[in-house]
Structures are given as structure tokens and as C-alpha cells.
């Protein structure tokens, strides 16, 4: 991999970004124009690369490997990646190159930072060397943002393990001038992504090896405090996304916890994911355990914060022109501002994972169950079953759409009765032992796990389990079923063919799996229109006019109207996104269990 000097960057990399669109094509650039600040020449100190183990050590000339996003999907966001390695080496493959390619798949231009590793032999102050390089990397990317097709307000820093410490240091010390660089370009990242990071140098929670390699055996207390990043957070620290495993025996999970608490104390947006398993050093986590979900959670976090666009919104199943009829209009006003924001001054319910055995497969499956504030077995509660979209998992409603927060807020305002919410996994191929089935195989199989198999799982396993383990009503008048996208199609298919089981049915942005009107199944959507007229208390259809799937819901509405089946038809201007689904849950919930 050929390296070019800083003098060549603007001329060369501008062309480079415009012409390289295939994953894996990179070019390295030197961070500094000439020798790095504070560098000491040592002819015996030579770069070592262990290709078999993808390990790099004795880095004395810091480099930035460039992974341009494909031209057709580039969104202007950039992320600088700091691989880990205890400040003694760099794990350049699974915490570098592989991560860069993943970011490319999201339309993000990635840079892998091969920073100098602290050593008195090559720098006057080894503790500051990595931070110098990190600041310079941000400075370089932002200074050349226009030429490289990058939005200077969307530059993130990402780090793993000790690289996470460097990323956190860059995020908390961006006002400190640690080098002699004359360029005054801001070195503050716009956001940080910290994966099983070393955060603190405090003796009780630090990673000993990283601390010694960076600060030496007996560092001054001032240095320890300076590089304990949880003590350096303030209101200007950039928002952060953190991942850690509770069984990490290398870097204690407390590192991420104290950073998140410091962010919360300073009112800085922060999201922390703690997984039961994974240990340390798993990169993108290609396992069958729950830590393998962190890349998708991170993708969604970046989407919500506006750094990337939503996947479903970008790739609708249908792309048809919406032709509005006179009655394709809003049935209600939009929810008030803050309706899905967590409020500190009200009681909150609890979302808990619950496992059950699916008799059809003999496999353990997991769902999430929300119990309202003050849940008591001395009372009985109605239940709403909320179904997620394709490949999204049972966490989509609570963690992305904030369903539990919406319900908490409505209960606190006295607008709805306390209720239990069940978030099943709507694909029966997903089990405790197989949490992430191969997507290609799922597609080849026609997503059968979302079809009849899930209907049977819901009716014969999930509902009986809930009614035998929770204090709930067990009659149709206290059961509701609703879903979004593919889950919307499932809700309509199951609910309208089992009116004796559900009195309330809702489909939000329903997908082409919707029977009869989605284009994938000729099965009748509503086998008994008369029963629907007589027994359904609420039938809810909703979709936004910017949704490529609008025609599915529109056709269902037109059929129900023709058959004289009472229903709500709510059309707004949203797309196939979480705003649409959150809004409709807020409205739908207020019509339940009256």
C-alpha cells in the first residue's frame, strides 16, 4: 500500500475519492507534513506487521488508510477508526479494515488511523503521541472535507479497546493544543463510537497493560486524571454510542458505564449497550449471541441522529407513484412534541426478556415483555402484541420507536389504561441458539418463518404463555394485535382471520406480505366480513404518502370501504419510518380497551 505525503493530499485524494467506488480499494496518507511533532529518530525502530495475525506494532510514522464510500451511496459522513491493541500494537483487520468496509456499506467514508504507539524511543512525550495523531486525523479530514466529498459537520471518531481510549481522549481533549500544528481547523469530532473501550486510568477499573504502555509504571496523579476520560466529559463532549460485554475480563464493563454516567450528568446524548456475553476483542461480533446485534444498533443510532439515511426508507419494496383519493387524508392531528421522549418525573414500566419453548420446533425463543408502572398480580391487565418489520427483531418497537416510553407517557397523562405489551420475534427461524439466521438463506426460503409458522407460534405458544405467566385478561376484548411493515401485514393476516381472538387490529405501513392486496399471496385477507362488522372494536390502517408501500394499505382500505367494514384510515405525509410508527402507536393506543 503506497503512502503519499500531506503535500499531495488535496491534489491526489480529490481524484481518488471520485474514482474509487469498490470496497477494499484504499490509499494511505501520512498524517504529518514531514516529521511528526515531538518525534525522535531511531533507525532501529522499524514497523513490524504480522500478516498472519493482522497485527501491527512499532508504528513510528502515523498513517491514515482511506476507504471511500461507494459513489452511488455516499452520504457525506466520515468515521475515523482507531484499532485497539493495549497501546502496544494495532489489530488492523477485525478492528480496522473489516470495520471500514462495514461503514462503507452504510455509505460512510472510513479512515483507519495507524497511530504512533507510545514509546520514549521515538517521541519526547509518549503519552501525548497518540492524542497528537488522533487530533491531526480529525483536522486533516475536516480541512479537506470539501475535496473529499465529506460533510465537515458529520465526522465521527470510533475506537476499540485501547483505541476506544484514544477515541474518547480525542472526544474530551479537543480544546487542548497538544501539537505545534498551525492549522486552526477544529479537531472536535461530531460523534464517537466506543466499542469495549478503555476509558479510565483509575486503578480500580483501568486496563493495566494500556495504562502502563501509555503512562508508564508510576505516572503522576495529574496524568492519571487527565487521561481518565470519564473525568474530562463536559457539555461540549460529542454524543457517544458505547458497547461493552458484562463478561469482559480484559477491560471491565465499568469503563463504559462511568463514561455513560458522565455524559448523562452533563446532558450529552449517549447510548450504552451492555451485552451478557462476548468477552473482549470481538470486532463486528460474528457470533450467534446477542452482542452480534451491536452493528445494527449502531447503524440505527447513526440513522436517528441524522448521520445516515434509514435503510427501509431508502429501499422500499415498491416504488410506485402515489395517487391520492379524496379520503386519503389524516384522520387525526400529529402527536404533541415530546410524546416519545422519556420523562424523569413520571413512573416507568419495565421491559424484560422472556424465554419460552416453541413446541413445534423444540427450540427456546425469546420475546420482550413490557409491564406498566406499578404492575401487580393483584390486578389484571389488557395486552397488546406489537409485531416488528423484516429482519429487525423484537427490539425494534421498544428500542428504536420507544414504544414503552410512549405508553408510559400516555398512562401518566391518564389517556390510557395500564396495559402489558408483548414484543415477539416474528420470525420463527430466530431462536435463542440461532439469533441471527443467514439473510441470504432467509430470502431463498421466502421468509417462511414470518408466515404460518409465526401465526401458530403466536396463537398456540406466545399468547398461552403470557396468559399463564402474567396477570392478564384472557378474552378477545382485552387483546390487541398491531404491527409495522411486514409486522403490519402479519397483524392484518392473523388478526382478520382470528376475529374471535383479537378485538383490536392495526396495520401500520403494511408490507406486500399482506394477504390478497400485497401482491405476494392470493389468500383472502378477511374471510368473514360480517364477523368483522359485528365483533371488531377497532380496525386501524395507516400509511404515509411518502411510503413506497402506500398502495398496499390503500387497497386494503378501499376493499374494507366497499364491504362496509368500519375502520380507521389515517394517511399522513410520513415515509416508511419510525416517525410514522411512533405516531400511530400513540394514536392507536388511545382507542384500545374502552
Amino acid at each position: 500500500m503506497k503512502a503519499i505525503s500531506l503535500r499531495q493530499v488535496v491534489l491526489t485524494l480529490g481524484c481518488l475519492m471520485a474514482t474509487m467506488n469498490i470496497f477494499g480499494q484504499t490509499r494511505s496518507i501520512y498524517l504529518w507534513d514531514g516529521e511528526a511533532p515531538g518525534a525522535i529518530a531511531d533507525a532501529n525502530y522499524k514497523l513490524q506487521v504480522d500478516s498472519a495475525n493482522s497485527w501491527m506494532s512499532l508504528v513510528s510514522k502515523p498513517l491514515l488508510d482511506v476507504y471511500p464510500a461507494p459513489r452511488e451511496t455516499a452520504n457525506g459522513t466520515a468515521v475515523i477508526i482507531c484499532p485497539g491493541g493495549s497501546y502496544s500494537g494495532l489489530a488492523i483487520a477485525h478492528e480496522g479494515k473489516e470495520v471500514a468496509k462495514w461503514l462503507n456499506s452504510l455509505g460512510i467514508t472510513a479512515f483507519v488511523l495507524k497511530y504512533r504507539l507510545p514509546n520514549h524511543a521515538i517521541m519526547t512525550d509518549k503519552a501525548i503521541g497518540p492524542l497528537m495523531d488522533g487530533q491531526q486525523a480529525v483536522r486533516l479530514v475536516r480541512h479537506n472535507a470539501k475535496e473529499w466529498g465529506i460533510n465537515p459537520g458529520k465526522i465521527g471518531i470510533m475506537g476499540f479497546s485501547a483505541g476506544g481510549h484514544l477515541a474518547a481522549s480525542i472526544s474530551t481533549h479537543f480544546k487542548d493544543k497538544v501539537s505545534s500544528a498551525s492549522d486552526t481547523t477544529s479537531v472536535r469530532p461530531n460523534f464517537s463510537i466506543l466499542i469495549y473501550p478503555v476509558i479510565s486510568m483509575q486503578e480500580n477499573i483501568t486496563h493495566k497493560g494500556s495504562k502502563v504502555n501509555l503512562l508508564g509504571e508510576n505516572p503522576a496523579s495529574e496524568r492519571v486524571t487527565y487521561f481518565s476520560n470519564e473525568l474530562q466529559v463536559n457539555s461540549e463532549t460529542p454524543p457517544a454510542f458505547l458497547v461493552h460485554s458484562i463478561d469482559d475480563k480484559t477491560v471491565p464493563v465499568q469503563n463504559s458505564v462511568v463514561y455513560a454516567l458522565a455524559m448523562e450528568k452533563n446532558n450529552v446524548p449517549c447510548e450504552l449497550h451492555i451485552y451478557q456475553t462476548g468477552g473482549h476483542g470481538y470486532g463486528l461480533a460474528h457470533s450467534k449471541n446477542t452482542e452480534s446485534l451491536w452493528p445494527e444498533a449502531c447503524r440505527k443510532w447513526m440513522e436517528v441522529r441524522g448521520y445516515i439515511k434509514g435503510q427501509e426508507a431508502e429501499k422500499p419494496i415498491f416504488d410506485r407513484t402515489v395517487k391520492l383519493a379524496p379520503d386519503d387524508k389524516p384522520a387525526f392531528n400529529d402527536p404533541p412534541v415530546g410524546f416519545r421522549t422519556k420523562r424523569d418525573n413520571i413512573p416507568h414500566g419495565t421491559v424484560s426478556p422472556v424465554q419460552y419453548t416453541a413446541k413445534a420446533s423444540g427450540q427456546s425463543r425469546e420475546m420482550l415483555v413490557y409491564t406498566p408502572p406499578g404492575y401487580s398480580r393483584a390486578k389484571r391487565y389488557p395486552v397488546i402484541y406489537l409485531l416488528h418489520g423484516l429482519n429487525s427483531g423484537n427490539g425494534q418497537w421498544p428500542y428504536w420507536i420507544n414504544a414503552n416510553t410512549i405508553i408510559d407517557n400516555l398512562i401518566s397523562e391518564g389517556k390510557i389504561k395500564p396495559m402489558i405489551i408483548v414484543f415477539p420475534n416474528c420470525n420463527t427461524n430466530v431462536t435463542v441458539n440461532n439469533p441471527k439466521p443467514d439473510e441470504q438463506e432467509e430470502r431463498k426460503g421466502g421468509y417462511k418463518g414470518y408466515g404460518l409458522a409465526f401465526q401458530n407460534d403466536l396463537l398456540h405458544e406466545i399468547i398461552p404463555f403470557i396468559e399463564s405467566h402474567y396477570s392478564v385478561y384472557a378474552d378477545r376484548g382485552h387483546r390487541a394485535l398491531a404491527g409495522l411493515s411486514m409486522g403490519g401485514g402479519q397483524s392484518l393476516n392473523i388478526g382478520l382471520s382470528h376475529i374471535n381472538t383479537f378485538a383490536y387490529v392495526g396495520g401500520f405501513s403494511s408490507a406486500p406480505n399482506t394477504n390478497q392486496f400485497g401482491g405476494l399471496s392470493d389468500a383472502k385477507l378477511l374471510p368473514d366480513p360480517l364477523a368483522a362488522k359485528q365483533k371488531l372494536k377497532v380496525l386501524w390502517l395507516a400509511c404515509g404518502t411518502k411510503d413506497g408501500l402506500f398502495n398496499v394499505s390503500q387497497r386494503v382500505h378501499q376493499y374494507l370501504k366497499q364491504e362496509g367494514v368500519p375502520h380507521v384510515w389515517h394517511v399522513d405525509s410520513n415515509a416508511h419510518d419510525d416517525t410514522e410508527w411512533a405516531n400511530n402507536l400513540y394514536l392507536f393506543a388511545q382507542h384500545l380497551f374502552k
Side-chain angles (χ1 to χ4, degrees):
M1 189 180 294
K2 184 180 178 182
I4 61 178
S5 73
L6 187 55
R7 291 189 181 95
Q8 297 172 283
V9 167
V10 176
L11 292 175
T12 304
L13 208 50
C15 298
L16 187 70
M17 291 287 191
T19 58
M20 297 198 313
N21 299 298
I22 302 172
F23 294 170
Q25 289 186 318
T26 68
R27 181 67 64 91
S28 285
I29 57 175
Y30 289 126
L31 278 182
W32 303 97
D33 189 3
E35 287 295 330
I40 299 173
D42 186 337
N44 297 318
Y45 197 94
K46 295 181 180 180
L47 177 68
Q48 293 186 2
V49 179
D50 181 351
S51 299
N53 296 302
S54 299
W55 182 259
M56 178 178 286
S57 58
L58 301 183
V59 178
S60 60
K61 292 186 179 297
L63 300 170
L64 206 55
D65 288 354
V66 187
Y67 291 78
R71 186 188 316 168
E72 60 275 14
T73 60
N75 51 40
T77 297
V79 172
I80 299 165
I81 306 163
C82 306
S86 302
Y87 280 123
S88 65
L90 301 176
I92 54 175
H94 76 289
E95 293 176 356
K97 180 178 180 180
E98 186 177 337
V99 178
K101 291 183 177 181
W102 169 66
L103 291 169
N104 282 170
S105 75
L106 303 179
I108 296 172
T109 291
F111 299 83
V112 177
L113 176 59
K114 295 175 178 175
Y115 51 94
R116 285 175 293 168
L117 299 165
N119 193 310
H120 286 309
I122 60 165
M123 58 188 77
T124 55
D125 186 347
K126 73 171 188 174
I128 294 295
L131 180 56
M132 282 185 183
D133 294 346
Q135 286 190 353
Q136 176 66 0
V138 177
R139 182 183 293 116
L140 186 63
V141 172
R142 181 166 283 126
H143 182 85
N144 294 286
K146 183 177 181 180
E147 288 83 358
W148 299 352
I150 292 168
N151 184 332
K154 293 185 177 182
I155 298 173
I157 192 77
M158 182 178 194
F160 296 77
S161 192
H165 182 267
L166 176 54
S169 298
I170 296 165
S171 299
T172 55
H173 292 293
F174 56 85
K175 284 191 173 182
D176 300 347
K177 186 174 176 59
V178 298
S179 74
S180 57
S182 59
D183 189 336
T184 58
T185 301
S186 171
V187 296
R188 179 187 180 273
N190 298 105
F191 61 95
S192 62
I193 300 171
L194 309 175
I195 312 300
Y196 42 84
V198 178
I199 291 291
S200 183
M201 292 289 122
Q202 300 296 315
E203 194 63 29
N204 59 329
I205 64 171
T206 192
H207 175 241
K208 183 70 172 178
S210 297
K211 179 179 180 179
V212 170
N213 288 332
L214 183 67
L215 303 182
E217 288 286 353
N218 298 296
S221 60
E222 293 80 7
R223 272 288 169 95
V224 172
T225 298
Y226 184 85
F227 284 103
S228 292
N229 290 306
E230 78 279 13
L231 303 179
Q232 308 303 324
V233 172
N234 59 40
S235 60
E236 296 182 65
T237 303
F241 177 92
L242 296 99
V243 169
H244 225 114
S245 290
I246 206 163
D247 66 347
D248 191 331
K249 305 303 182 185
T250 303
V251 176
V253 69
Q254 286 86 347
N255 280 266
S256 287
V257 171
V258 295
Y259 194 80
L261 290 174
M263 297 284 277
E264 190 274 336
K265 181 179 179 181
N266 285 275
N267 296 313
V268 180
C270 178
E271 185 163 314
L272 168 61
H273 292 255
I274 298 179
Y275 296 98
Q276 180 179 342
T277 59
H280 189 78
Y282 42 77
L284 291 177
H286 301 294
S287 71
K288 292 187 176 182
N289 297 320
T290 53
E291 71 273 7
S292 65
L293 302 176
W294 84 253
E296 175 58 20
C298 184
R299 183 203 67 77
K300 186 62 182 182
W301 181 81
M302 289 190 286
E303 175 192 322
V304 169
R305 297 203 61 81
Y307 299 120
I308 62 175
K309 295 181 180 179
Q311 289 184 334
E312 282 194 285
E314 284 294 292
K315 299 179 180 179
I317 299 174
F318 288 158
D319 184 17
R320 298 178 178 174
T321 302
V322 173
K323 296 180 180 179
L324 297 179
D327 60 348
D328 294 338
K329 58 186 180 181
F332 306 94
N333 293 327
D334 284 343
V337 174
F339 78 99
R340 59 190 287 198
T341 300
K342 187 174 182 179
R343 301 169 189 169
D344 294 332
N345 59 343
I346 66 168
H348 300 116
T350 302
V351 177
S352 304
V354 177
Q355 292 188 5
Y356 65 99
T357 300
K359 298 182 181 66
S361 64
Q363 296 291 317
S364 292
R365 302 193 72 230
E366 187 171 278
M367 56 186 160
L368 298 174
V369 178
Y370 163 88
T371 50
Y375 170 75
S376 169
R377 296 198 67 83
K379 302 177 183 178
R380 287 199 293 172
Y381 300 84
V383 185
I384 177 172
Y385 296 84
L386 287 180
L387 311 187
H388 62 78
L390 178 66
N391 293 333
S392 292
N394 52 19
Q396 186 174 26
W397 274 108
Y399 302 139
W400 296 352
I401 301 168
N402 303 325
N404 51 311
T405 299
I406 294 170
I407 298 301
D408 281 346
N409 293 344
L410 286 171
I411 292 173
S412 75
E413 294 169 358
K415 292 181 177 179
I416 63 172
K417 298 176 181 178
M419 62 183 71
I420 285 176
I421 312 176
V422 179
F423 308 103
N425 193 298
C426 305
N427 179 4
T428 56
N429 292 330
V430 175
T431 66
V432 171
N433 293 324
N434 185 28
K436 198 173 182 182
D438 183 85
E439 188 174 342
Q440 297 297 328
E441 293 301 317
E442 289 283 293
R443 187 179 292 112
K444 289 178 184 177
Y447 299 105
K448 289 183 178 178
Y450 289 86
L452 183 61
F454 174 71
Q455 173 177 295
N456 292 334
D457 194 51
L458 175 66
L459 298 175
H460 305 308
E461 307 288 357
I462 295 172
I463 292 177
F465 181 96
I466 293 297
E467 294 180 352
S468 63
H469 289 76
Y470 292 86
S471 183
V472 301
Y473 292 102
D475 61 281
R476 64 178 296 277
H478 291 90
R479 287 194 210 104
L481 177 66
L484 63 89
S485 193
M486 182 170 274
Q490 289 175 305
S491 296
L492 295 177
N493 295 344
I494 298 170
L496 296 183
S497 60
H498 294 84
I499 293 172
N500 288 331
T501 303
F502 303 99
Y504 305 88
V505 177
F508 313 151
S509 313
S510 299
N513 64 315
T514 304
N515 285 343
Q516 192 174 347
F517 302 102
L520 298 180
S521 170
D522 294 328
K524 283 191 71 67
L525 177 65
L526 184 58
D528 191 345
L530 181 60
K533 296 176 188 179
Q534 295 175 343
K535 294 185 176 181
L536 281 179
K537 294 186 175 181
V538 174
L539 173 54
W540 190 285
L541 296 177
C543 199
T545 56
K546 295 177 183 175
D547 192 332
L549 303 182
F550 181 82
N551 296 287
V552 176
S553 296
Q554 186 184 49
R555 284 194 292 267
V556 175
H557 156 65
Q558 291 169 347
Y559 166 77
L560 294 174
K561 183 179 178 181
Q562 177 183 321
E563 293 293 323
V565 177
H567 65 284
V568 171
W569 173 226
H570 180 56
V571 177
D572 54 30
S573 60
N574 294 317
H576 200 75
D577 55 29
D578 56 338
T579 299
E580 172 72 10
W581 306 324
N583 287 2
N584 275 281
L585 176 61
Y586 174 87
L587 298 169
F588 180 64
Q590 295 180 68
H591 290 75
L592 302 179
F593 314 127
K594 301 294 187 180

